[in-house]
Structure formats: C-alpha cells, structure tokens
Amino acid sequence: MVVMVQGRRRMLRAALGACAAAGLAACDKLNLPQAGQSFRGIDITGAPYGRDFKLPDADGKERTLADFRGKLVLLYFGFVQCPDVCPTALTRAVETRRLLGADGERLQVVFITVDPERDTPEVLKAYMAAFDPSFVALRPSPEQLKATAAEFKAYYKAVPTGSSYTMDHSALSYIFDAQGRLRLALRHEQTAQDYAHDIALLMSQKTAG
C-alpha cells in the first residue's frame, strides 16, 4: 500500500506539473463567471435525491452534510485501487481548488469508498493525504453503501478480475451549496476549469434561507 500511495503522489505531481508547464486552458487562471452565465455541468437544483448522507469517516466519526455547512461540498464515489478514473477525479479536485484561489478553502471534497472491504481506515487516510490532507474519506458498511448509493442514484458493482476484483462505478461529482443543498452534477469528462467555473458561479449566487 505504501508503494501504491507513493505512486498516487507521483501521479498527482506529474499531472499538476504538466498543467503548469503546458499552460492548458484547464490549468490557466480562472476567469470568474459573469452575471447571467450558466452552469457548464448539470443543474439538478431541487432534485428529490441526494439529500444527505450519514456515514463514518476514516476515524470512525459519523459525518453528515451539516458538518460542512458554510462550505460547498464536492462529493465523489470511488475506491483506492481504481487505476485511473478516481485518481483523475481527485487530481482534478486539487486543481479546481487551486483555480479558485483563496475561495478554494471554501470547497470541501468528500470521497465515499465503494470498496469498504479493502479500503480500510489506514488506507483511506493515506490515499487522501496523497492528494490533499483536507479531503475527507467516508467508509460506509456494505448496508450503508447500498442505501447511500441509492439516495444519490450512484452505481457500483464488483467485477471479478482473475483471483481478485475491481469496482465498476459511476463517476459524477456532486456539488452542494453552502446551505447543504444538492445543486450540480459534474461529468467526469469536464475539466478543472469547468468545475471551478461552476463552483465559483455557485459561490457568487445569493441564496435564500
């Protein structure tokens, strides 16, 4: 596992380094959204799902959306042994926070493992630290995972691979506003610039109640 986490760190450094060197559009300074602009992701404001979660973190402390009130939350379902999709998603989350500048501190990333059997508390802590120590990992029981995935309309399934298995899972990132309301579903193929644009737009909106 130490080797795997070190590999994630190298991947993160390489990805962010490539952004800085290449000057790609997704890595440029965020152009703050202007009044009247629309979201680049899927606006699901008012959706009758994704209302909350109640799951233990890697320290066994029960967490809900209320714990992050006042911050926007980016919620993602994944697993540590994911070969590329999950590291890409978390690297993008790191870059999104960077693009937001000082406002990046107002974005809380929450990772829910779909592989709680192998993703032990120690594994999850090391994995989050390899990307950003502020990221919070949640480790549901199998029953909690089933209920939470149903609440968020998220898909996951164990797929045999020889003597082991991998996890097939949906790759949307869910965005909650500072009042804990589900507002956006951002697609995996979108860039960090897209993510930062929509999150900055949410931050700029005046919300009621």
Side-chain angles (χ1 to χ4, degrees):
M1 179 49 59
V2 172
V3 172
M4 178 180 294
V5 170
Q6 289 175 343
R8 301 301 187 215
R9 287 179 178 145
R10 287 194 294 270
M11 182 183 297
L12 176 59
R13 287 195 296 268
L16 296 181
C19 285
L24 299 177
C27 307
D28 292 339
K29 182 179 179 181
L30 176 66
N31 294 317
L32 293 177
Q34 303 299 312
Q37 286 191 344
S38 58
F39 293 117
R40 296 175 184 175
I42 307 167
D43 187 343
I44 52 175
T45 302
Y49 58 87
R51 291 156 292 192
D52 205 350
F53 53 79
K54 190 175 183 180
L55 302 171
D57 64 17
D59 290 315
K61 179 182 178 182
E62 194 169 76
R63 298 297 197 113
T64 69
L65 279 170
D67 292 329
F68 311 110
R69 189 62 58 91
K71 290 188 174 184
L72 276 73
V73 171
L74 186 159
L75 178 69
Y76 184 81
F77 290 83
F79 68 112
V80 169
Q81 294 193 38
C82 180
D84 47 37
V85 175
C86 299
T88 298
L90 292 173
T91 300
R92 182 178 53 226
V94 172
E95 178 64 10
T96 297
R97 279 169 52 92
R98 188 193 69 79
L99 285 169
L100 289 168
D103 282 337
E105 296 297 320
R106 297 170 58 194
L107 177 65
Q108 177 63 58
V109 176
V110 176
F111 179 92
I112 298 179
T113 178
V114 297
D115 189 13
E117 180 178 352
R118 292 184 297 190
D119 290 351
T120 64
E122 293 75 20
V123 166
L124 286 171
K125 287 180 183 179
Y127 193 58
M128 292 299 101
F131 292 95
D132 188 319
S134 74
F135 290 3
V136 172
L138 303 180
R139 183 175 181 260
S141 68
E143 295 76 18
Q144 289 173 321
L145 175 58
K146 182 178 180 180
T148 304
E151 172 64 26
F152 283 87
K153 299 186 181 298
Y155 167 82
Y156 69 98
K157 181 181 179 180
V159 179
T161 55
S163 60
S164 185
Y165 67 93
T166 188
M167 299 297 298
D168 189 15
H169 63 93
S170 50
L172 288 174
S173 293
Y174 300 92
I175 306 296
F176 296 81
D177 64 22
Q179 286 72 42
R181 297 176 294 207
L182 181 59
R183 300 294 303 278
L184 300 170
L186 301 182
R187 297 180 293 273
H188 184 66
E189 61 268 23
Q190 291 183 275
T191 65
Q193 185 81 20
D194 292 330
Y195 275 53
H197 172 277
D198 283 6
I199 290 166
L201 190 55
L202 268 184
M203 288 178 174
S204 71
Q205 291 180 350
K206 293 182 179 179
T207 54

Coordinates of all heavy atoms in Angstrom, one line a residue, residues 89-181:
A89 N -10.1 12.1 -11.0 CA -11.1 12.9 -10.3 C -10.5 13.6 -9.2 O -10.8 14.8 -9.0 CB -12.3 12.0 -9.9
L90 N -9.7 13.0 -8.4 CA -9.1 13.7 -7.2 C -8.1 14.7 -7.6 O -7.9 15.7 -7.0 CB -8.6 12.6 -6.2 CG -9.6 11.8 -5.6 CD1 -9.0 10.6 -4.7 CD2 -10.6 12.6 -4.7
T91 N -7.3 14.4 -8.6 CA -6.3 15.3 -9.1 C -7.0 16.6 -9.7 O -6.6 17.7 -9.4 CB -5.5 14.7 -10.2 OG1 -4.8 13.6 -9.7 CG2 -4.4 15.7 -10.8
R92 N -8.2 16.4 -10.3 CA -9.0 17.5 -10.8 C -9.5 18.3 -9.7 O -9.6 19.5 -9.8 CB -10.1 17.0 -11.7 CG -11.0 18.1 -12.3 CD -12.0 17.5 -13.2 NE -12.8 16.5 -12.5 CZ -13.1 15.3 -13.1 NH1 -12.7 15.0 -14.3 NH2 -13.8 14.4 -12.3
A93 N -9.9 17.6 -8.6 CA -10.4 18.4 -7.4 C -9.3 19.2 -6.8 O -9.6 20.4 -6.4 CB -10.9 17.4 -6.4
V94 N -8.1 18.7 -6.8 CA -7.0 19.5 -6.3 C -6.8 20.8 -7.2 O -6.6 21.9 -6.7 CB -5.7 18.7 -6.3 CG1 -4.5 19.6 -6.0 CG2 -5.8 17.6 -5.2
E95 N -6.8 20.6 -8.5 CA -6.6 21.7 -9.4 C -7.8 22.6 -9.4 O -7.6 23.9 -9.5 CB -6.4 21.1 -10.8 CG -6.3 22.2 -11.9 CD -5.0 23.0 -11.8 OE1 -4.2 22.7 -10.9 OE2 -4.9 24.0 -12.5
T96 N -9.0 22.1 -9.1 CA -10.1 23.0 -9.0 C -10.0 24.0 -7.8 O -10.2 25.2 -7.9 CB -11.4 22.2 -8.8 OG1 -11.6 21.4 -10.0 CG2 -12.6 23.1 -8.6
R97 N -9.5 23.4 -6.7 CA -9.3 24.3 -5.5 C -8.2 25.3 -5.8 O -8.3 26.5 -5.4 CB -8.9 23.4 -4.3 CG -10.1 22.7 -3.6 CD -9.7 21.7 -2.6 NE -8.7 22.1 -1.7 CZ -9.0 22.7 -0.5 NH1 -10.3 22.8 -0.1 NH2 -8.0 23.0 0.3
R98 N -7.2 24.9 -6.5 CA -6.1 25.9 -6.9 C -6.7 27.0 -7.8 O -6.4 28.2 -7.5 CB -5.0 25.1 -7.6 CG -3.7 26.0 -7.8 CD -2.8 25.4 -8.7 NE -3.2 25.4 -10.1 CZ -3.2 26.5 -10.9 NH1 -2.8 27.6 -10.5 NH2 -3.7 26.4 -12.1
L99 N -7.5 26.6 -8.7 CA -8.0 27.6 -9.7 C -8.9 28.6 -8.9 O -9.0 29.8 -9.3 CB -8.8 26.9 -10.8 CG -8.0 26.2 -11.9 CD1 -8.9 25.4 -12.7 CD2 -7.3 27.2 -12.7
L100 N -9.6 28.2 -7.9 CA -10.5 29.1 -7.1 C -9.7 30.0 -6.2 O -10.3 31.0 -5.7 CB -11.4 28.2 -6.3 CG -12.5 27.4 -7.0 CD1 -13.2 26.4 -6.1 CD2 -13.5 28.4 -7.6
G101 N -8.4 29.9 -6.1 CA -7.6 30.8 -5.3 C -8.0 30.7 -3.9 O -8.2 29.6 -3.3
A102 N -8.1 31.8 -3.2 CA -8.5 31.9 -1.8 C -9.8 31.2 -1.5 O -10.0 30.6 -0.5 CB -8.5 33.3 -1.3
D103 N -10.7 31.2 -2.5 CA -12.0 30.6 -2.3 C -12.0 29.1 -2.4 O -12.9 28.4 -2.0 CB -13.0 31.1 -3.4 CG -13.5 32.5 -3.2 OD1 -13.6 32.9 -2.0 OD2 -14.0 33.1 -4.1
G104 N -10.8 28.5 -2.7 CA -10.6 27.1 -2.7 C -10.8 26.5 -1.3 O -11.2 25.4 -1.2
E105 N -10.5 27.3 -0.3 CA -10.7 26.9 1.1 C -12.2 26.7 1.4 O -12.5 26.0 2.4 CB -10.1 27.9 2.0 CG -8.6 28.1 1.9 CD -7.8 26.8 2.3 OE1 -8.2 26.1 3.2 OE2 -6.9 26.5 1.6
R106 N -13.0 27.2 0.6 CA -14.5 27.1 0.8 C -15.1 25.8 0.2 O -16.3 25.6 0.3 CB -15.2 28.3 0.3 CG -14.8 29.6 1.0 CD -15.4 30.8 0.3 NE -16.9 30.7 0.2 CZ -17.6 31.5 -0.6 NH1 -17.0 32.4 -1.3 NH2 -18.9 31.4 -0.6
L107 N -14.2 25.1 -0.5 CA -14.7 23.8 -1.2 C -14.2 22.6 -0.4 O -13.0 22.4 -0.2 CB -14.2 23.8 -2.6 CG -14.5 22.5 -3.4 CD1 -16.0 22.4 -3.6 CD2 -13.8 22.5 -4.7
Q108 N -15.1 21.8 0.1 CA -14.7 20.6 0.8 C -14.9 19.4 -0.1 O -16.0 19.2 -0.6 CB -15.6 20.4 2.1 CG -15.3 19.2 2.9 CD -13.9 19.1 3.4 OE1 -13.5 20.0 4.2 NE2 -13.2 18.1 3.0
V109 N -13.9 18.6 -0.3 CA -14.0 17.4 -1.1 C -14.3 16.2 -0.2 O -13.6 16.0 0.9 CB -12.7 17.2 -1.9 CG1 -12.8 15.8 -2.6 CG2 -12.5 18.3 -2.9
V110 N -15.3 15.4 -0.5 CA -15.7 14.3 0.3 C -15.7 13.1 -0.6 O -16.4 13.1 -1.7 CB -17.1 14.4 0.9 CG1 -17.5 13.2 1.7 CG2 -17.1 15.6 1.9
F111 N -15.0 12.0 -0.2 CA -14.8 10.8 -1.0 C -15.5 9.6 -0.3 O -15.2 9.3 0.8 CB -13.3 10.5 -1.2 CG -12.9 9.3 -1.9 CD1 -12.7 9.4 -3.3 CD2 -12.7 8.1 -1.3 CE1 -12.3 8.2 -4.0 CE2 -12.3 7.0 -2.0 CZ -12.1 7.0 -3.4
I112 N -16.5 9.0 -1.0 CA -17.1 7.8 -0.4 C -16.6 6.6 -1.1 O -16.8 6.4 -2.3 CB -18.7 7.9 -0.5 CG1 -19.2 9.2 0.2 CG2 -19.3 6.7 0.0 CD1 -20.7 9.3 0.1
T113 N -16.0 5.7 -0.3 CA -15.5 4.5 -0.9 C -16.6 3.5 -1.3 O -17.5 3.3 -0.5 CB -14.4 3.8 -0.1 OG1 -14.0 2.6 -0.7 CG2 -15.0 3.4 1.3
V114 N -16.5 2.9 -2.5 CA -17.4 1.9 -2.9 C -16.8 0.5 -2.6 O -17.4 -0.5 -3.1 CB -17.9 2.0 -4.3 CG1 -18.6 3.3 -4.5 CG2 -16.7 2.0 -5.3
D115 N -15.7 0.5 -2.0 CA -14.9 -0.8 -1.7 C -14.5 -0.8 -0.3 O -13.3 -0.8 0.0 CB -13.7 -0.8 -2.7 CG -13.0 -2.2 -2.6 OD1 -13.6 -3.1 -2.0 OD2 -11.9 -2.3 -3.1
P116 N -15.4 -0.7 0.7 CA -15.1 -0.6 2.1 C -14.3 -1.8 2.6 O -13.6 -1.7 3.6 CB -16.4 -0.5 2.8 CG -17.4 -1.0 1.9 CD -16.9 -0.7 0.5
E117 N -14.4 -3.0 1.9 CA -13.7 -4.2 2.4 C -12.2 -4.0 2.3 O -11.5 -4.3 3.3 CB -14.1 -5.4 1.6 CG -13.4 -6.7 2.0 CD -13.9 -7.9 1.2 OE1 -14.8 -7.8 0.4 OE2 -13.2 -9.0 1.4
R118 N -11.7 -3.4 1.2 CA -10.3 -3.2 1.0 C -9.8 -1.9 1.5 O -8.7 -1.7 1.9 CB -9.9 -3.5 -0.4 CG -10.0 -4.9 -0.9 CD -9.5 -5.1 -2.3 NE -10.3 -4.3 -3.3 CZ -10.2 -4.5 -4.6 NH1 -9.4 -5.4 -5.1 NH2 -11.0 -3.8 -5.5
D119 N -10.7 -0.9 1.4 CA -10.4 0.5 1.8 C -10.5 0.7 3.3 O -11.5 1.2 3.8 CB -11.2 1.5 1.0 CG -10.9 1.5 -0.5 OD1 -9.9 0.9 -0.8 OD2 -11.6 2.2 -1.2
T120 N -9.5 0.2 4.0 CA -9.6 0.3 5.5 C -9.3 1.8 5.9 O -8.9 2.6 5.1 CB -8.4 -0.6 6.1 OG1 -7.2 0.0 5.6 CG2 -8.6 -2.0 5.6
P121 N -9.6 2.1 7.1 CA -9.3 3.5 7.6 C -7.9 3.9 7.3 O -7.7 5.1 6.8 CB -9.6 3.4 9.1 CG -10.6 2.4 9.2 CD -10.2 1.3 8.2
E122 N -6.9 3.1 7.5 CA -5.5 3.5 7.3 C -5.2 3.7 5.8 O -4.5 4.6 5.4 CB -4.6 2.3 7.8 CG -4.6 2.2 9.3 CD -5.9 1.5 9.8 OE1 -6.5 0.8 9.0 OE2 -6.2 1.6 11.0
V123 N -5.8 2.9 4.9 CA -5.6 3.0 3.5 C -6.3 4.3 3.0 O -5.7 5.1 2.2 CB -6.3 1.8 2.8 CG1 -6.4 2.1 1.3 CG2 -5.4 0.6 3.0
L124 N -7.5 4.6 3.5 CA -8.2 5.8 3.1 C -7.4 7.1 3.6 O -7.3 8.1 2.8 CB -9.6 5.8 3.6 CG -10.6 4.9 2.9 CD1 -11.9 4.8 3.7 CD2 -10.8 5.3 1.5
K125 N -6.9 7.1 4.8 CA -6.2 8.2 5.3 C -4.9 8.5 4.4 O -4.7 9.6 4.0 CB -5.7 8.0 6.7 CG -6.9 8.1 7.7 CD -6.3 7.8 9.1 CE -7.4 7.8 10.2 NZ -6.9 7.6 11.5
A126 N -4.2 7.4 4.1 CA -3.0 7.6 3.3 C -3.4 8.1 1.8 O -2.7 8.9 1.3 CB -2.2 6.3 3.2
Y127 N -4.5 7.6 1.3 CA -4.9 7.9 0.0 C -5.3 9.4 -0.1 O -4.9 10.1 -1.0 CB -6.1 7.0 -0.4 CG -6.4 7.1 -1.9 CD1 -5.4 6.7 -2.9 CD2 -7.7 7.4 -2.3 CE1 -5.7 6.7 -4.2 CE2 -8.0 7.4 -3.7 CZ -7.0 7.1 -4.6 OH -7.4 7.1 -6.0
M128 N -6.1 9.9 0.9 CA -6.5 11.3 0.9 C -5.2 12.2 1.0 O -5.1 13.2 0.4 CB -7.5 11.5 2.0 CG -8.8 10.9 1.8 SD -9.7 11.4 0.4 CE -9.4 10.0 -0.7
A129 N -4.3 11.8 1.9 CA -3.1 12.6 2.1 C -2.3 12.7 0.9 O -1.6 13.7 0.7 CB -2.3 12.0 3.3
A130 N -2.3 11.7 0.0 CA -1.6 11.7 -1.2 C -2.1 12.8 -2.2 O -1.3 13.2 -3.1 CB -1.6 10.3 -1.9
F131 N -3.3 13.2 -2.0 CA -3.9 14.3 -2.9 C -4.0 15.6 -2.1 O -3.4 16.6 -2.5 CB -5.2 13.8 -3.4 CG -5.2 12.7 -4.3 CD1 -5.3 11.4 -3.9 CD2 -4.9 12.9 -5.7 CE1 -5.2 10.3 -4.8 CE2 -4.8 11.8 -6.6 CZ -5.0 10.5 -6.1
D132 N -4.7 15.6 -1.0 CA -4.9 16.8 -0.2 C -5.4 16.4 1.2 O -6.4 15.8 1.3 CB -5.9 17.7 -0.9 CG -6.0 19.1 -0.2 OD1 -6.0 19.2 1.0 OD2 -6.2 20.1 -0.9
P133 N -4.6 16.7 2.2 CA -5.0 16.3 3.6 C -6.3 16.8 4.0 O -6.9 16.3 5.0 CB -3.8 16.9 4.4 CG -2.7 17.1 3.5 CD -3.3 17.4 2.2
S134 N -6.9 17.9 3.3 CA -8.2 18.4 3.7 C -9.3 17.5 3.2 O -10.5 17.7 3.7 CB -8.3 19.8 3.2 OG -8.6 19.9 1.9
F135 N -9.1 16.6 2.3 CA -10.1 15.8 1.7 C -10.6 14.8 2.8 O -9.8 14.3 3.5 CB -9.6 15.0 0.5 CG -9.3 15.9 -0.7 CD1 -9.5 17.2 -0.7 CD2 -8.9 15.3 -1.9 CE1 -9.2 18.0 -1.9 CE2 -8.7 16.0 -3.1 CZ -8.8 17.4 -3.0
V136 N -11.9 14.6 2.8 CA -12.5 13.7 3.8 C -12.9 12.4 3.1 O -13.7 12.5 2.1 CB -13.7 14.4 4.5 CG1 -14.4 13.4 5.4 CG2 -13.2 15.6 5.4
A137 N -12.5 11.3 3.7 CA -12.9 10.0 3.1 C -14.0 9.4 4.1 O -13.8 9.4 5.3 CB -11.8 9.0 3.0
L138 N -15.0 8.8 3.5 CA -16.1 8.1 4.3 C -16.1 6.7 3.9 O -15.9 6.3 2.8 CB -17.4 8.8 4.0 CG -17.5 10.3 4.2 CD1 -19.0 10.8 3.9 CD2 -17.2 10.6 5.7
R139 N -16.2 5.8 5.0 CA -16.2 4.4 4.8 C -17.4 3.7 5.3 O -17.5 3.4 6.5 CB -14.9 3.8 5.5 CG -14.7 2.3 5.3 CD -13.4 1.9 6.0 NE -13.2 0.4 5.8 CZ -13.5 -0.5 6.7 NH1 -14.0 -0.1 7.9 NH2 -13.3 -1.8 6.5
P140 N -18.4 3.6 4.5 CA -19.7 3.0 4.9 C -19.6 1.5 5.1 O -18.7 0.8 4.5 CB -20.7 3.4 3.8 CG -19.8 3.4 2.6 CD -18.5 4.0 3.0
S141 N -20.5 0.9 5.8 CA -20.7 -0.5 5.8 C -21.3 -0.9 4.5 O -21.9 0.0 3.8 CB -21.6 -0.9 7.0 OG -22.9 -0.5 6.8
P142 N -21.3 -2.2 4.1 CA -22.0 -2.6 2.9 C -23.5 -2.1 2.8 O -23.9 -1.7 1.8 CB -21.9 -4.1 2.9 CG -20.6 -4.3 3.7 CD -20.6 -3.3 4.7
E143 N -24.1 -2.2 4.0 CA -25.5 -1.8 4.0 C -25.7 -0.3 3.9 O -26.6 0.2 3.1 CB -26.2 -2.2 5.3 CG -26.3 -3.8 5.5 CD -24.9 -4.4 5.9 OE1 -24.0 -3.6 6.3 OE2 -24.8 -5.6 5.7
Q144 N -24.8 0.5 4.5 CA -24.8 1.9 4.4 C -24.5 2.3 3.0 O -25.1 3.3 2.4 CB -23.8 2.6 5.4 CG -24.3 2.5 6.8 CD -23.2 3.0 7.7 OE1 -22.0 2.7 7.5 NE2 -23.5 3.7 8.8
L145 N -23.5 1.7 2.4 CA -23.1 2.0 1.0 C -24.3 1.8 0.0 O -24.6 2.6 -0.8 CB -22.0 1.1 0.6 CG -21.5 1.3 -0.9 CD1 -21.1 2.7 -1.2 CD2 -20.3 0.3 -1.2
K146 N -25.0 0.7 0.2 CA -26.2 0.4 -0.7 C -27.2 1.5 -0.6 O -27.7 2.0 -1.6 CB -26.8 -1.0 -0.3 CG -27.9 -1.4 -1.2 CD -28.4 -2.8 -0.8 CE -29.6 -3.2 -1.7 NZ -30.1 -4.6 -1.3
A147 N -27.5 1.9 0.7 CA -28.5 2.9 0.9 C -28.1 4.3 0.4 O -28.9 5.0 -0.2 CB -28.9 3.0 2.4
T148 N -26.8 4.6 0.6 CA -26.3 5.9 0.2 C -26.2 6.0 -1.3 O -26.6 7.0 -1.9 CB -24.9 6.2 0.8 OG1 -25.0 6.1 2.2 CG2 -24.4 7.6 0.4
A149 N -25.8 5.0 -2.0 CA -25.7 4.9 -3.4 C -27.1 5.1 -4.0 O -27.3 5.8 -5.0 CB -25.0 3.7 -3.9
A150 N -28.1 4.4 -3.4 CA -29.5 4.6 -3.9 C -29.9 6.0 -3.7 O -30.6 6.5 -4.6 CB -30.4 3.6 -3.2
E151 N -29.6 6.6 -2.6 CA -30.0 8.0 -2.4 C -29.4 9.0 -3.4 O -30.1 9.9 -3.8 CB -29.6 8.4 -1.0 CG -29.8 9.9 -0.6 CD -31.2 10.3 -0.6 OE1 -32.1 9.5 -0.4 OE2 -31.5 11.5 -0.9
F152 N -28.2 8.7 -3.9 CA -27.6 9.5 -4.8 C -27.7 9.0 -6.3 O -27.1 9.6 -7.2 CB -26.1 9.8 -4.5 CG -25.9 10.7 -3.3 CD1 -26.0 10.3 -2.0 CD2 -25.7 12.1 -3.6 CE1 -25.8 11.2 -1.0 CE2 -25.6 13.0 -2.5 CZ -25.7 12.5 -1.2
K153 N -28.4 8.0 -6.5 CA -28.5 7.3 -7.8 C -27.2 7.0 -8.4 O -26.9 7.2 -9.6 CB -29.3 8.3 -8.7 CG -30.8 8.5 -8.3 CD -31.6 9.3 -9.3 CE -33.0 9.6 -8.8 NZ -33.8 8.4 -8.6
A154 N -26.3 6.6 -7.5 CA -24.9 6.2 -7.9 C -24.9 4.7 -8.2 O -25.5 3.9 -7.5 CB -23.9 6.6 -6.9
Y155 N -24.0 4.3 -9.1 CA -23.9 2.9 -9.5 C -22.5 2.4 -9.0 O -21.5 3.1 -9.1 CB -24.0 2.8 -11.0 CG -23.6 1.4 -11.5 CD1 -24.5 0.3 -11.5 CD2 -22.4 1.2 -12.1 CE1 -24.1 -0.9 -12.0 CE2 -22.0 0.0 -12.6 CZ -22.9 -1.1 -12.5 OH -22.5 -2.3 -13.0
Y156 N -22.5 1.1 -8.5 CA -21.3 0.5 -8.3 C -21.5 -1.0 -8.3 O -22.6 -1.5 -8.1 CB -20.7 0.8 -6.9 CG -21.5 0.3 -5.7 CD1 -21.2 -0.9 -5.1 CD2 -22.7 1.0 -5.3 CE1 -21.9 -1.3 -4.0 CE2 -23.4 0.5 -4.2 CZ -23.0 -0.7 -3.6 OH -23.8 -1.2 -2.6
K157 N -20.5 -1.7 -8.7 CA -20.6 -3.2 -8.9 C -19.2 -3.8 -8.8 O -18.3 -3.3 -9.5 CB -21.3 -3.6 -10.2 CG -21.5 -5.1 -10.4 CD -22.2 -5.4 -11.7 CE -22.3 -6.9 -11.9 NZ -23.0 -7.2 -13.2
A158 N -19.0 -4.9 -8.1 CA -17.7 -5.6 -8.1 C -17.6 -6.4 -9.3 O -18.6 -7.1 -9.7 CB -17.7 -6.5 -6.8
V159 N -16.5 -6.4 -10.0 CA -16.2 -7.1 -11.2 C -15.0 -8.0 -11.0 O -13.9 -7.5 -10.8 CB -16.0 -6.1 -12.4 CG1 -15.7 -6.9 -13.7 CG2 -17.1 -5.2 -12.5
P160 N -15.2 -9.3 -11.1 CA -14.1 -10.2 -10.9 C -12.9 -10.0 -11.9 O -13.2 -9.7 -13.1 CB -14.7 -11.6 -11.2 CG -16.2 -11.4 -10.9 CD -16.5 -10.0 -11.4
T161 N -11.7 -10.0 -11.4 CA -10.5 -9.9 -12.3 C -9.5 -11.0 -11.8 O -8.7 -10.8 -11.0 CB -9.9 -8.5 -12.2 OG1 -9.6 -8.3 -10.8 CG2 -10.8 -7.5 -12.7
G162 N -9.6 -12.2 -12.4 CA -8.8 -13.3 -12.0 C -9.1 -13.7 -10.6 O -10.2 -14.0 -10.3
S163 N -8.0 -13.6 -9.7 CA -8.2 -14.0 -8.3 C -8.7 -12.9 -7.5 O -8.9 -13.1 -6.3 CB -6.9 -14.6 -7.8 OG -5.9 -13.6 -7.8
S164 N -8.9 -11.7 -8.0 CA -9.3 -10.6 -7.3 C -10.5 -9.9 -7.9 O -11.3 -10.6 -8.6 CB -8.1 -9.5 -7.2 OG -8.5 -8.5 -6.3
Y165 N -10.7 -8.6 -7.7 CA -11.8 -7.9 -8.3 C -11.5 -6.5 -8.4 O -10.6 -5.9 -7.7 CB -13.1 -8.1 -7.5 CG -13.1 -7.5 -6.1 CD1 -13.6 -6.2 -5.9 CD2 -12.6 -8.2 -5.0 CE1 -13.5 -5.6 -4.7 CE2 -12.5 -7.6 -3.7 CZ -13.0 -6.3 -3.6 OH -13.0 -5.7 -2.3
T166 N -12.2 -5.8 -9.3 CA -12.2 -4.3 -9.3 C -13.6 -3.8 -9.1 O -14.6 -4.6 -9.0 CB -11.6 -3.8 -10.7 OG1 -11.4 -2.4 -10.6 CG2 -12.5 -4.2 -11.8
M167 N -13.8 -2.5 -9.1 CA -15.1 -2.0 -8.9 C -15.5 -1.1 -10.1 O -14.7 -0.2 -10.5 CB -15.2 -1.1 -7.6 CG -14.9 -1.8 -6.4 SD -16.0 -3.1 -5.9 CE -17.6 -2.2 -5.8
D168 N -16.6 -1.4 -10.7 CA -17.2 -0.6 -11.7 C -18.1 0.4 -11.0 O -18.9 0.0 -10.1 CB -18.0 -1.4 -12.7 CG -18.5 -0.6 -13.9 OD1 -18.0 0.5 -14.1 OD2 -19.4 -1.1 -14.6
H169 N -18.1 1.7 -11.3 CA -18.9 2.7 -10.6 C -19.1 3.9 -11.5 O -18.4 4.2 -12.4 CB -18.2 3.1 -9.3 CG -16.9 3.8 -9.5 ND1 -16.7 5.1 -9.5 CD2 -15.6 3.3 -9.6 CE1 -15.5 5.5 -9.7 NE2 -14.8 4.3 -9.7
S170 N -20.2 4.7 -11.1 CA -20.4 5.9 -11.8 C -19.4 6.9 -11.4 O -18.8 6.8 -10.3 CB -21.8 6.4 -11.5 OG -22.1 6.4 -10.1
A171 N -19.2 8.0 -12.2 CA -18.1 8.9 -12.0 C -18.5 10.4 -11.9 O -17.7 11.3 -12.2 CB -17.0 8.7 -13.1
L172 N -19.8 10.6 -11.6 CA -20.2 12.0 -11.5 C -19.7 12.6 -10.2 O -19.5 11.9 -9.2 CB -21.7 12.1 -11.4 CG -22.5 11.9 -12.7 CD1 -24.0 11.8 -12.4 CD2 -22.2 12.9 -13.8
S173 N -19.4 13.9 -10.2 CA -19.1 14.6 -8.9 C -20.3 15.5 -8.6 O -20.9 16.2 -9.4 CB -17.9 15.5 -9.1 OG -16.7 14.8 -9.3
Y174 N -20.8 15.3 -7.3 CA -22.0 16.1 -6.9 C -21.5 17.3 -6.1 O -20.6 17.2 -5.3 CB -22.9 15.2 -6.0 CG -23.4 13.9 -6.6 CD1 -22.7 12.8 -6.5 CD2 -24.6 13.9 -7.3 CE1 -23.1 11.6 -7.1 CE2 -25.1 12.8 -7.9 CZ -24.3 11.6 -7.8 OH -24.8 10.5 -8.4
I175 N -22.2 18.4 -6.4 CA -21.8 19.7 -5.8 C -23.0 20.2 -5.0 O -24.1 20.4 -5.5 CB -21.4 20.8 -6.8 CG1 -20.3 20.3 -7.8 CG2 -21.0 22.0 -6.1 CD1 -19.0 19.9 -7.1
F176 N -22.7 20.5 -3.7 CA -23.7 21.0 -2.8 C -23.3 22.5 -2.5 O -22.2 22.8 -2.4 CB -23.7 20.3 -1.4 CG -24.2 18.8 -1.6 CD1 -23.3 17.9 -2.0 CD2 -25.5 18.5 -1.3 CE1 -23.7 16.5 -2.1 CE2 -25.9 17.2 -1.4 CZ -25.0 16.2 -1.8
D177 N -24.4 23.3 -2.3 CA -24.1 24.7 -2.0 C -23.8 24.9 -0.5 O -23.8 23.9 0.3 CB -25.2 25.7 -2.4 CG -26.5 25.4 -1.7 OD1 -26.6 24.8 -0.6 OD2 -27.6 25.8 -2.3
A178 N -23.5 26.1 0.0 CA -23.1 26.3 1.4 C -24.2 26.0 2.4 O -24.0 25.9 3.6 CB -22.6 27.7 1.5
Q179 N -25.5 25.9 1.9 CA -26.6 25.5 2.8 C -26.9 24.0 2.8 O -27.8 23.6 3.4 CB -27.9 26.3 2.3 CG -27.9 27.8 2.7 CD -26.9 28.5 1.8 OE1 -26.8 28.3 0.6 NE2 -26.1 29.4 2.5
G180 N -26.0 23.3 2.1 CA -26.2 21.8 2.1 C -27.2 21.3 1.1 O -27.6 20.2 1.2
R181 N -27.5 22.1 0.1 CA -28.5 21.7 -0.9 C -27.8 21.2 -2.2 O -26.8 21.8 -2.7 CB -29.4 22.8 -1.3 CG -30.2 23.3 -0.1 CD -31.1 24.5 -0.4 NE -30.2 25.7 -0.7 CZ -30.6 26.9 -0.5 NH1 -31.9 27.2 0.0 NH2 -29.8 28.0 -0.7

